Amino acid sequence: MSAVRPVTIRDVARIAGVSLSTVSQVLNGHHGYASADTRDRVLAAARELNYRPNALARGLVTSRTGTLGLVITDITRTLFPKVVAGIEQVASQHGYSVLLTCAGSADRERAALDTLLDKRADGIIFMSNTTEAESGHLLMVAQQGVPIVAINRPLDTTALSQIVWDDVEVGRRATEHLISLGHRRIGHVAGTLAAPRRLSAVNRLAGFRLAMAEAGLPVDERLVIEGDFQHDGGFEAARRLLDLDQPPTAVFAASDSMAVGFINGLHRHRVRVPDDVSVAGANDDSCAVYVEPPLTTVRVPVAAAGRRAAEIVLAAITTRPTPPPIRETLAVDLLVRRSTQRLDSPVSLC
Amino acid sequence: MSAVRPVTIRDVARIAGVSLSTVSQVLNGHHGYASADTRDRVLAAARELNYRPNALARGLVTSRTGTLGLVITDITRTLFPKVVAGIEQVASQHGYSVLLTCAGSADRERAALDTLLDKRADGIIFMSNTTEAESGHLLMVAQQGVPIVAINRPLDTTALSQIVWDDVEVGRRATEHLISLGHRRIGHVAGTLAAPRRLSAVNRLAGFRLAMAEAGLPVDERLVIEGDFQHDGGFEAARRLLDLDQPPTAVFAASDSMAVGFINGLHRHRVRVPDDVSVAGANDDSCAVYVEPPLTTVRVPVAAAGRRAAEIVLAAITTRPTPPPIRETLAVDLLVRRSTQRLDSPVSLC
DNA sequence: CTGAAAGCGCTTACAG
DNA sequence: CTGAAAGCGCTTACAG
């Protein structure tokens, strides 16, 4: 019941009959020092006592903790679990563990970063997308010499590493796909553009417009509806688009959640997908394959982003001199499933 | 570019013109010690230098790190993000951060626990469900005096705190609901019962049998199909059940993923839900509300489990004498949505 | 009210 | 090859 005093290096030294420094040398594999005999005695003693070094003490002197700090917005939000899994996987492979903090505002981001710095994380990965663009706190970390990489945060600086994917491209690929199927009257259910506006929403909309422009197609502004990245925004958008004299024949929704909501909304009004309307989403959420019909979507490389971020930060920690910051853009993929089809495909065969 | 030497308590002492101990006292709010004047000077100096205490050094002397260790199976698996969110929320409210480790086997569990102990986590929350029942490593942690609470891990010990929910009850509630709707020929798509068998699968099946027995209903063993907790297991189960001379009129699937797969499988064969077959799932996955029809399911209290686990471990850390281990069972809820309906409801009205 | 000293558990030059 | 000493940055009795 009472807390057992953990065994220290001093205990090992006593049992092995050598000094503290010798134990330390042997245990840290500083070769060419200890004699085979001494080495064996130390190792035996350590094993016998089940000695585990106190990471705090070691970190205090080495200025290295074997810990990666992570700040994200909210682990329950789509995309984050996969990113975190990618990071944790690479980190643990390299013997590092992950200190997780969630931050929903710039203030909390700052606090999270402070905590991570206080606890001497060797490096930091940052994937928090508050609406506030302010990011002096990220630079502050970099200036303190702590490697930090930001995932998909717009930063016009080369002072820290960044992993990004192109959300304009996400919108463009989805829209190009619909265009390639012969659709001309194409709508868009956007993400959060208002107040706490999300940059991915803005960019995906831009990609939509870009693809339309490149194809010489007009954008009917009544077909662009602002959603909220959630199911209900898509559901509501369906109602509004169906109210129009001339609804679109295809729609790109800026997230799979909205695409599913949109499809459910269409079904409610007895409109079929993809027969009457083609629907493409974005993200490749885990649900996307399993809804009916399975969603055509643009996959965003979240797991890879997590893995690369960890690799980059690890490299920055362990290689001397410190490599310069990197900016990497990861490719997005169009996944064609059954929610989209050629405009009037059966008919046009006649 | 070059790493800045962080400011230490020594710098603050120098600027304030007092000793290290005085700075420490003031900064830790040990009242009744410093004079108002001294206190002001120290605070001013600390602020001016933007002093942040080194958590490693502090932890080394106080044996307290402000860190909660967490071991889970895989953050991308259903249920885990919500648990982690619940834990992180309570932890950060109390000024604690979360050290996250993922472990897919008993060996990796052990390694994760060792790491957490090495890094001196003040307490540990454990929600890893390997198939191996071996859990000596959990007890080992408790014996070292580090508070640990296990979430939904079957352990016949009172040596450590546990948060559980009753998976038998999950199966029972879902099945009782189907029975109450007038169904008598009820099937079950079970979770993983084979090789790396999952206890929740076994228990939910037991709950199914229990409810049937309590209602005096026979279980036709051909209607009990083993799945894999995933979509495809449910999909495949639909094919097999529809092959029967007399398929069930209602089915309880041990997870929402399987329920969705099952429904998709039924639809593939033009069987309607809930008109032809009622389907109930379990877990209340985020998808469950948004599929068509929205899933009747038994919600499992994951976020609450995370929160309670954090509260219990925090209480064990901060209250003296250490409170005895607790075992808490959290209630599960039946959520009736549209995937289940009364047997022959329109017909029986005639 | 304030400071000098010891110590938390390690590692790292530096002697020998 | 091995050990004594200093020090990482703090906190905590203990004197004064």
Side-chain angles (χ1 to χ4, degrees):
Chain A
M1 208 73 259
S2 66
V4 207
R5 188 181 62 81
V7 2
T8 70
I9 196 174
R10 168 164 270 113
D11 301 313
V12 178
R14 191 163 34 73
I15 300 292
V18 297
S19 73
L20 299 188
S21 10
T22 300
V23 175
S24 179
Q25 314 271 32
V26 170
L27 260 27
N28 289 307
H30 289 188
H31 290 288
Y33 278 92
S35 67
D37 178 52
T38 308
R39 159 187 238 75
D40 289 347
R41 290 219 309 286
V42 170
L43 260 19
R47 178 167 306 276
E48 179 191 345
L49 296 173
N50 192 24
Y51 169 72
R52 309 257 339 164
N54 180 327
L56 260 28
R58 170 178 279 178
L60 186 57
V61 24
T62 61
S63 302
R64 199 114 291 175
T65 55
T67 299
L68 254 37
L70 180 52
V71 10
I72 63 176
T73 313
D74 176 356
I75 188 71
T76 62
R77 288 242 271 260
T78 211
L79 303 191
F80 285 109
K82 286 182 182 164
V83 177
V84 174
I87 292 169
E88 201 279 338
Q89 178 193 320
V90 171
S92 71
Q93 275 167 8
H94 289 78
Y96 281 71
S97 31
V98 171
L99 202 46
L100 176 75
T101 57
C102 299
S105 67
D107 272 354
R108 298 206 52 207
E109 285 179 1
R110 228 180 308 272
L113 253 17
D114 278 341
T115 300
L116 262 19
L117 256 19
D118 291 350
K119 298 199 172 170
R120 296 298 186 266
D122 293 335
I124 292 177
I125 297 173
F126 191 97
M127 188 184 175
S128 171
N129 48 1
T130 1
T131 164
E132 301 132 273
E134 213 281 282
S135 48
H137 42 312
L138 298 200
L139 293 175
M140 181 268 285
V141 171
Q143 273 156 16
Q144 303 215 353
V146 176
I148 176 169
V149 9
I151 298 179
N152 226 35
R153 172 120 174 176
L155 293 170
D156 48 358
T157 175
T158 57
L160 81 229
S161 291
Q162 300 185 54
I163 304 283
V164 299
W165 55 79
D166 187 345
D167 276 308
V168 174
E169 190 65 12
V170 169
R172 185 187 193 176
R173 292 291 293 279
T175 310
E176 278 175 350
H177 165 68
L178 298 172
I179 293 170
S180 77
L181 292 173
H183 295 278
R184 297 184 49 87
R185 190 162 174 74
I186 304 175
H188 177 52
V189 185
T192 319
L193 297 170
R197 134 198 135 139
R198 297 266 294 279
L199 199 68
S200 57
V202 176
N203 285 338
R204 289 173 184 191
L205 169 57
F208 166 74
R209 291 192 191 283
L210 179 60
M212 294 294 275
E214 284 174 340
L217 257 30
V219 171
D220 182 340
E221 294 302 332
R222 289 168 304 180
L223 302 190
V224 177
I225 309 253
E226 180 176 349
D228 54 356
F229 274 128
Q230 313 290 320
H231 178 275
D232 293 354
F235 192 90
E236 171 63 11
R239 197 187 55 69
R240 289 179 53 191
L241 286 180
L242 291 176
D243 265 359
L244 265 31
D245 308 341
Q246 207 184 343
T249 65
V251 164
F252 160 51
S255 75
D256 290 339
S257 300
M258 291 197 298
V260 170
F262 187 71
I263 291 175
N264 287 343
L266 294 179
H267 285 162
R268 177 64 55 94
H269 294 275
R270 311 239 169 282
V271 175
R272 295 161 307 166
V273 176
D275 314 69
D276 302 321
V277 179
S278 283
V279 178
N283 287 344
D284 193 32
D285 277 358
S286 45
C287 284
V289 213
Y290 300 132
V291 293
E292 263 302 318
L295 237 46
T296 291
T297 191
V298 179
R299 196 177 64 83
V300 135
V302 268
R307 270 180 270 126
R308 279 303 291 150
E311 284 164 5
I312 290 171
V313 88
L314 251 17
I317 291 169
T318 54
T319 81
R320 287 290 91 106
T322 308
I326 292 177
R327 182 177 221 279
E328 251 180 49
T329 303
L330 267 26
V332 299
D333 290 315
L334 175 71
L335 301 178
V336 178
R337 292 197 274 244
R338 299 210 330 267
S339 65
T340 51
Q341 78 176 20
R342 191 146 261 299
L343 179 63
D344 298 329
S345 45
V347 182
S348 62
L349 287 178
C350 312
Chain B
M1 208 73 260
S2 66
V4 206
R5 187 180 63 80
V7 1
T8 72
I9 197 174
R10 168 164 270 112
D11 301 314
V12 178
R14 193 164 32 76
I15 300 291
V18 297
S19 73
L20 299 188
S21 12
T22 301
V23 174
S24 179
Q25 314 270 33
V26 171
L27 260 27
N28 289 307
H30 290 187
H31 290 288
Y33 278 91
S35 68
D37 177 51
T38 308
R39 159 187 238 76
D40 289 348
R41 288 219 310 286
V42 169
L43 260 19
R47 179 168 304 276
E48 178 190 347
L49 295 174
N50 191 25
Y51 169 73
R52 310 260 335 165
N54 179 327
L56 260 28
R58 170 178 280 177
L60 186 57
V61 22
T62 61
S63 303
R64 200 112 292 174
T65 56
T67 299
L68 253 38
L70 179 53
V71 9
I72 61 175
T73 314
D74 176 356
I75 188 71
T76 62
R77 288 240 273 259
T78 211
L79 303 191
F80 285 108
K82 285 182 184 165
V83 177
V84 174
I87 293 168
E88 201 280 337
Q89 179 194 320
V90 171
S92 72
Q93 275 167 8
H94 290 78
Y96 281 71
S97 30
V98 171
L99 202 46
L100 174 77
T101 57
C102 299
S105 67
D107 273 353
R108 299 205 52 206
E109 284 179 3
R110 227 179 308 271
L113 252 18
D114 278 341
T115 301
L116 261 20
L117 256 19
D118 291 350
K119 299 199 172 171
R120 296 298 185 268
D122 293 336
I124 292 178
I125 297 172
F126 192 96
M127 188 184 174
S128 171
N129 48 1
T130 1
T131 164
E132 301 132 273
E134 212 280 283
S135 48
H137 42 311
L138 298 200
L139 292 175
M140 181 267 286
V141 171
Q143 273 157 14
Q144 303 216 351
V146 176
I148 176 167
V149 9
I151 299 180
N152 226 36
R153 171 121 173 173
L155 293 169
D156 47 358
T157 175
T158 57
L160 80 229
S161 291
Q162 300 184 54
I163 304 283
V164 299
W165 53 81
D166 187 345
D167 277 308
V168 174
E169 189 64 12
V170 168
R172 184 186 193 175
R173 292 291 292 280
T175 310
E176 277 175 351
H177 165 68
L178 297 172
I179 294 170
S180 78
L181 292 174
H183 295 278
R184 297 183 50 85
R185 189 160 174 75
I186 303 176
H188 177 50
V189 185
T192 318
L193 298 171
R197 134 199 136 139
R198 298 266 296 279
L199 199 67
S200 57
V202 176
N203 285 338
R204 289 173 186 193
L205 169 57
F208 165 75
R209 291 192 191 283
L210 179 60
M212 294 294 276
E214 284 174 340
L217 258 27
V219 171
D220 182 340
E221 294 302 332
R222 291 167 304 179
L223 302 189
V224 177
I225 309 254
E226 180 178 347
D228 54 356
F229 274 129
Q230 312 291 319
H231 177 275
D232 293 355
F235 192 89
E236 170 64 11
R239 196 187 55 70
R240 290 179 52 192
L241 286 179
L242 291 177
D243 264 0
L244 265 32
D245 308 341
Q246 206 183 344
T249 66
V251 164
F252 160 51
S255 75
D256 290 338
S257 300
M258 290 196 298
V260 170
F262 187 71
I263 291 175
N264 287 342
L266 294 179
H267 284 163
R268 176 65 54 94
H269 295 275
R270 310 239 168 283
V271 175
R272 294 162 307 167
V273 176
D275 314 68
D276 302 321
V277 179
S278 282
V279 178
N283 287 343
D284 193 32
D285 278 358
S286 44
C287 285
V289 213
Y290 298 133
V291 292
E292 263 304 315
L295 238 45
T296 290
T297 190
V298 180
R299 195 177 64 84
V300 134
V302 269
R307 269 180 272 128
R308 278 305 290 151
E311 284 164 6
I312 289 171
V313 88
L314 251 17
I317 292 169
T318 54
T319 82
R320 288 292 87 112
T322 307
I326 293 177
R327 182 178 222 279
E328 249 181 50
T329 303
L330 267 26
V332 299
D333 290 316
L334 175 71
L335 301 178
V336 177
R337 291 198 274 245
R338 300 210 328 268
S339 64
T340 51
Q341 79 175 20
R342 191 147 260 300
L343 179 63
D344 299 327
S345 45
V347 182
S348 63
L349 286 179
C350 311

